[in-house]
Amino acid sequence: MFKESFKYYKSKLPLPSLDNVIDFNNVEKFTKKVTKIILKVTNGEFFGLIPISEWEIYEVDQNPGLIFIKNPFTTLGQRYWTVKCLQEYTKKPNKSNLDPLNLVPDNQEWWDICQNNNDFTLLEKLRWITLGYHHNWDTKIYTEENKNDFPKDLGDLTVFFANTLGYSNFNAEAAIVNYYHLDSTLSGHTDHSEMNLEAPLFSFSLGQTAIFLLGGISKDTKPSAMFLRSGDVVIMSKESRLCYHGVPKIVKSNTKSWDITNCDVNSNEISEEYKTVTDLCKNSTLWRPYGDYLSHSRININVRVWVTKKTTLYNIVNEFLFVCHTEYTV
Ligand SMILES: O=C(O)CCC(=O)C(=O)O
């Protein structure tokens, strides 16, 4: 069933109907599939995010454990993470699919070469990088020998989401950043290499829109299909953590939420840690190549816990008490 749906949405001829793809911009149409949830936590703030009280959060009824947060990022927030994923996280010692191809000389950086030489071919060749504990794609295992420091800013962002959702001991330890173009796909798979499979997985999307499929623990379950747009956050927790998922299609977005000029692009109250990159984001000339990249590509940051598994009475009680209450079924 998963394979059939994947093939259906991937098809170019004929093009699939997208009528059944859950669209969180149009939830009224999916009243029988989606439930809005309200968090008990309403205070707390983090750089680049709108206030928690304004977050729109949903569960998909067919996929317990899947939590969807409709773009809680500000324009500046989306720009910041885009720059980090293109210019910063692509540097060594982080690993990428380009490493074995020897296309980037040791003393140079992928992003700089692409920009200086206008090298679109090299730009499009980057498909993934890994951060923290590096996923070994052949053995599918993580090891102590194959790890680097996890970026503090991305760790802090993910921990903020985790705490807000009631996962008080989350510690970001491994991430895969996926780079998609308009013809890219990611076939159905489960993420089971992490030692701690109880911790949720956090997925942040930037740029073009994905059709995301989430099925069951075997490929026999028909998956739900949903649009993931720029800024959207998906959390795969509990029952959905080990479910099959994949991206059969990237669709061209008709809006550019990373380009809507709202007040925070001019905000001056940015802490030192974020300042250098945010200054770049606020400068339209310096930002242009990153905006150009997003206009034909999608970036997905997928953050996981690998080893940490602290079970305390506080955690158990907290996770039990968490959850939001269901406000209404839309
Ligand atoms: O791109 C996405 O939304 C999903 C990525 C994913 O499934 C993965 O990295 O394991």
Side-chain angles (χ1 to χ4, degrees), residues 178 180 186 189 191 203 212 228 245 247 298 300 302 304:
N178 298 295
Y180 296 84
L186 180 71
H189 64 282
D191 294 312
S203 158
F212 179 71
L228 300 187
H245 56 283
V247 176
R298 169 177 186 258
N300 171 260
N302 228 277
R304 301 111 197 262

Side-chain angles (χ1 to χ4, degrees), residues 73 82 154 176 210 304:
F73 288 91
T82 301
L154 182 57
I176 300 175
R304 301 111 197 262

Side-chain angles (χ1 to χ4, degrees), residues 78 205-209 228-231 253 258 294 297-299:
Q78 288 193 54
S205 293
L206 296 162
Q208 297 303 308
T209 303
L228 300 187
R229 295 194 172 85
S230 194
S253 163
W258 56 91
L294 290 188
S297 303
R298 169 177 186 258
I299 301 173

Side-chain angles (χ1 to χ4, degrees), residues 154-263:
L154 182 57
D156 289 349
L157 174 80
T158 315
V159 166
F160 180 78
F161 275 101
N163 286 342
T164 306
L165 295 174
Y167 291 97
S168 51
N169 254 339
F170 188 92
N171 186 17
E173 292 174 308
I176 300 175
V177 184
N178 298 295
Y179 301 85
Y180 296 84
H181 309 296
L182 290 169
D183 58 352
S184 307
T185 60
L186 180 71
S187 26
H189 64 282
T190 59
D191 294 312
H192 54 260
S193 306
E194 297 73 28
M195 203 181 275
N196 183 348
L197 296 171
E198 284 152 40
L201 186 152
F202 291 82
S203 158
F204 307 105
S205 293
L206 296 162
Q208 297 303 308
T209 303
I211 294 180
F212 179 71
L213 299 185
L214 180 67
I217 50 172
S218 88
K219 283 193 171 171
D220 298 336
T221 307
K222 186 167 189 237
S224 303
M226 62 201 84
F227 289 113
L228 300 187
R229 295 194 172 85
S230 194
D232 290 344
V233 181
V234 163
I235 297 104
M236 288 169 67
S237 70
K238 302 186 179 144
E239 297 94 316
S240 78
R241 174 63 181 81
L242 288 173
C243 289
Y244 272 90
H245 56 283
V247 176
K249 195 186 250 339
I250 304 293
V251 287
K252 190 102 173 92
S253 163
N254 42 22
T255 55
K256 293 183 174 181
S257 57
W258 56 91
D259 257 356
I260 298 165
T261 310
N262 59 19
C263 53

